[in-house]
């Protein structure tokens, strides 16, 4: 493989060096094996009310722990998984693990909503809604305990099909979110017809917004746009208390970011919640170094 080590220990595939079909085929084989060998991990990142600090949900983010290469991040294999169709298998795995975690947390007194990322290929998968329904039933979960995140660009890849699938999922009771908002090319005329509940502002506008007046203006307008359309607005990429404060002042409803927590293994979430909820820790948490 054309892989190079990143300074955080993760391995980056170099697409330019790794374009032979033979190598692609073996990456696909590795991905398939990874399911059986239990190499994927479900990480979750808490989702927090920005006015109160209350935890209302979490986003499922998949990790691949490769036996030789260590942690491989989603940006390095999700695009490939989408090209090859493997994403359909992976999405089902993520859905199953998310349902297990959600059920376990509810049993232990933490009824949190879980957000799962879907890709373009998932929106074209005619069997997906039925598979989701079956998973929910088996775990005795209400559809409202799941939020499905679809990026703006995945929607615009095939807007007609996306609308159809989203209408089906919405009718089933799932909560729907538009992810990475502001980075794609969606038309507002189209967006207004989608049955979504949430708009997620891309982290590229959030990361440095306290120092960038342009970013602040974009975020402010997006929050107003979302609210005017009756949507909940969420910011991702909150890395400092200053950005949290600013977003709260602008009326942003919820947020996620390293300032509150990095994505952590699902089985560490309860310990994190207990620490977060301890008196005096809200808005002054230690940055978590797990990932
Ligand atoms: P996303 O859905 O937009 O997820 C947010 C990404 O921002 C995550 O990266 C998260 O770790 C990162 N992030 C959160 N807070 C901060 C912060 O304060 N600072 C910075 N710099 N980054 C932050 P991650 O986990 O590497 O995932 C990248 C993308 O891969 C996701 O973007 C999503 O599009 C995709 N992805 C991850 N898991 C899945 C999955 O299970 N299925 C699908 N289809 N896509 C997934
Ligand atoms: Mg997401
Ligand atoms: Mg996002
Ligand atoms: Mg993203």
């Amino acid at each position: 493989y054309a892989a190079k080590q990143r300074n955080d220990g993760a391995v980056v595939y170099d697409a330019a060096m790794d374009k032979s079909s033979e190598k692609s085929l073996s990456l696909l084989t590795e991905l398939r094996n990874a399911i059986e060998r239990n190499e994927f991990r479900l990480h979750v990142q808490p989702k927090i009310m920005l006015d109160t600090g209350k935890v209302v949900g979490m986003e499922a983010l998949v990790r691949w722990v490769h036996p030789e290469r260590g942690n491989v991040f989603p940006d390095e294999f999700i695009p490939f998984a989408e090209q090859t169709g493997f994403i359909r298998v992976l999405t089902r795995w993520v859905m199953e693990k998310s349902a297990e975690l959600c059920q376990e947390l509810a049993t232990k007194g933490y009824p949190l909503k879980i957000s799962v990322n879907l890709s373009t290929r998932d929106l074209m998968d005619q069997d997906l809604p039925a598979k989701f329904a079956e998973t929910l039933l088996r775990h005795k979960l209400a559809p409202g305990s799941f939020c499905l995140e679809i990026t703006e660009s995945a929607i615009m890849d095939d807007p007609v099909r996306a609308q159809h699938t989203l209408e089906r999922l919405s009718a089933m009771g799932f909560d729907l979110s538009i992810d990475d908002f502001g980075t794609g090319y969606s038309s507002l005329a189209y967006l207004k017809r989608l049955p979504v509940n949430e708009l997620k502002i891309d982290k590229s506008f959030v990361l440095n917004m306290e120092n960038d007046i342009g970013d602040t203006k974009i975020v402010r307008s997006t929050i107003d746009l979302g609210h005017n359309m009756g949507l909940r607005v969420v910011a991702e990429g909150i890395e400092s208390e200053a950005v949290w404060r600013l977003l709260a002042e602008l009326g942003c409803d919820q947020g996620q970011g390293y300032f509150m927590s990095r994505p952590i293994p699902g089985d560490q979430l309860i310990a994190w919640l207990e620490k977060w909820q301890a008196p005096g820790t809200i808005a002054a948490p230690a940055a978590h170094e797990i990932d």
Side-chain angles (χ1 to χ4, degrees):
Y1 278 108
K4 53 183 196 282
Q5 200 80 14
R6 231 161 62 170
N7 56 9
D8 58 1
V11 172
V12 180
Y13 289 100
D14 189 331
M17 290 163 69
D18 196 11
K19 60 188 166 202
S20 93
S21 58
E22 199 181 314
K23 281 176 179 164
S24 295
L25 194 65
S26 88
L27 176 57
L28 182 58
T29 307
E30 281 200 81
L31 281 169
R32 288 191 178 130
N33 289 340
I35 292 263
E36 281 153 40
R37 295 178 186 158
N38 209 15
E39 292 170 7
F40 290 112
R41 297 281 177 279
L42 190 82
H43 276 42
V44 288
Q45 186 179 39
K47 216 172 154 187
I48 288 164
M49 293 299 299
L50 293 179
D51 54 352
T52 60
K54 187 179 181 313
V55 182
V56 282
M58 58 202 158
E59 178 174 8
L61 293 158
V62 70
R63 298 288 180 263
W64 181 15
V65 185
H66 189 282
E68 285 120 45
R69 290 182 235 122
N71 276 347
V72 188
F73 281 81
D75 286 341
E76 295 142 29
F77 64 90
I78 295 279
F80 181 80
E82 283 178 13
Q83 282 164 37
T84 55
F86 177 77
I87 193 73
R88 290 166 54 157
V89 178
L90 189 62
T91 298
R92 279 157 202 221
W93 184 89
V94 172
M95 183 77 186
E96 183 66 29
K97 294 293 161 190
S98 298
E100 280 170 19
L101 180 64
C102 209
Q103 183 189 35
E104 187 201 333
L105 288 169
T107 311
K108 294 182 173 165
Y110 298 99
L112 297 181
K113 190 184 278 242
I114 192 158
S115 295
V116 170
N117 291 285
L118 297 186
S119 73
T120 314
R121 288 291 270 258
D122 294 315
L123 294 180
M124 297 180 187
D125 181 353
Q126 297 294 323
D127 304 329
L128 189 87
K131 180 68 196 163
F132 274 178
E134 182 271 324
T135 307
L136 291 173
L137 204 63
R138 206 158 19 82
H139 291 91
K140 301 186 178 63
L141 291 168
S145 47
F146 270 85
C147 178
L148 304 176
E149 297 190 358
I150 306 99
T151 62
E152 207 187 339
S153 31
I155 292 170
M156 295 317 288
D157 272 355
D158 186 346
V160 175
R161 176 99 70 144
Q163 175 154 10
H164 178 75
T165 309
L166 294 181
E167 269 163 8
R168 263 177 89 188
L169 293 168
S170 169
M172 287 168 71
F174 287 103
D175 208 48
L176 300 175
S177 171
I178 300 183
D179 203 355
D180 298 353
F181 189 78
T183 57
Y185 299 92
S186 39
S187 100
L188 294 174
Y190 184 74
L191 282 183
K192 82 169 185 196
R193 294 203 301 266
L194 292 177
V196 296
N197 313 84
E198 177 184 284
L199 206 153
K200 224 167 160 179
I201 305 173
D202 191 68
K203 61 175 177 283
S204 60
F205 304 113
V206 175
L207 288 170
N208 197 32
M209 66 181 277
E210 88 276 30
N211 301 313
D212 187 320
I213 189 75
D215 284 344
T216 306
K217 285 177 179 168
I218 290 171
V219 170
R220 183 200 304 273
S221 314
T222 308
I223 293 168
D224 292 346
L225 172 73
H227 284 165
N228 288 334
M229 290 170 77
L231 307 176
R232 174 171 84 228
V233 181
V234 181
E236 60 175 33
I238 303 174
E239 292 190 353
S240 69
E241 192 171 353
V243 168
W244 177 340
R245 287 234 176 89
L246 188 51
L247 285 164
E249 274 167 32
L250 296 176
C252 188
D253 304 296
Q254 301 177 5
Q256 293 172 232
Y258 293 175
F259 178 69
M260 296 84 115
S261 172
R262 284 179 179 258
I264 54 174
D267 57 12
Q268 292 178 16
L269 187 71
I270 289 189
W272 181 88
L273 285 165
E274 281 167 359
K275 229 160 97 190
W276 182 260
Q277 287 168 2
T281 50
I282 284 179
H288 286 242
E289 288 309 325
I290 316 151
D291 208 325

